[in-house]
Amino acid sequence: LCPVPQALQLALTAGDEYELVFTAPATCRRQLATLAVQCGVELARIGEVREGSGVSVFDAAGESLKFASQGFQHF
């Protein structure tokens, strides 16, 4: 696991989120892109859902990042 620079850690674990996040099957990407254009909404793919539990974050080289903080626990 790689250590995470403080600025990146804060960006990923602190503060308020003002974006809508959802999941959809990869087979729907083209349909979602079309709908986004029609509705004037920007979409960004940020990850994928895999079997198991928890959240993993990887850097551009595919190395798993280790965070000192888990962020705010909503529940």
Side-chain angles (χ1 to χ4, degrees):
L1 298 176
C2 300
V4 179
Q6 184 179 11
L8 178 59
Q9 180 167 315
L10 288 172
L12 294 174
T13 64
D16 294 326
E17 293 80 25
Y18 297 101
E19 298 284 336
L20 178 62
V21 178
F22 66 95
T23 61
T27 55
C28 293
R29 283 188 191 150
R30 187 170 290 160
Q31 290 173 296
L32 286 171
T34 299
L35 285 171
V37 169
Q38 290 172 351
C39 296
V41 174
E42 260 187 72
L43 293 182
R45 182 172 175 247
I46 62 167
E48 61 187 56
V49 176
R50 293 184 177 183
E51 187 175 332
S53 63
V55 175
S56 299
V57 179
F58 300 91
D59 66 12
E63 295 291 326
S64 181
L65 301 177
K66 180 179 179 181
F67 293 90
S69 167
Q70 296 297 312
F72 181 77
Q73 298 299 315
H74 295 273
F75 304 102

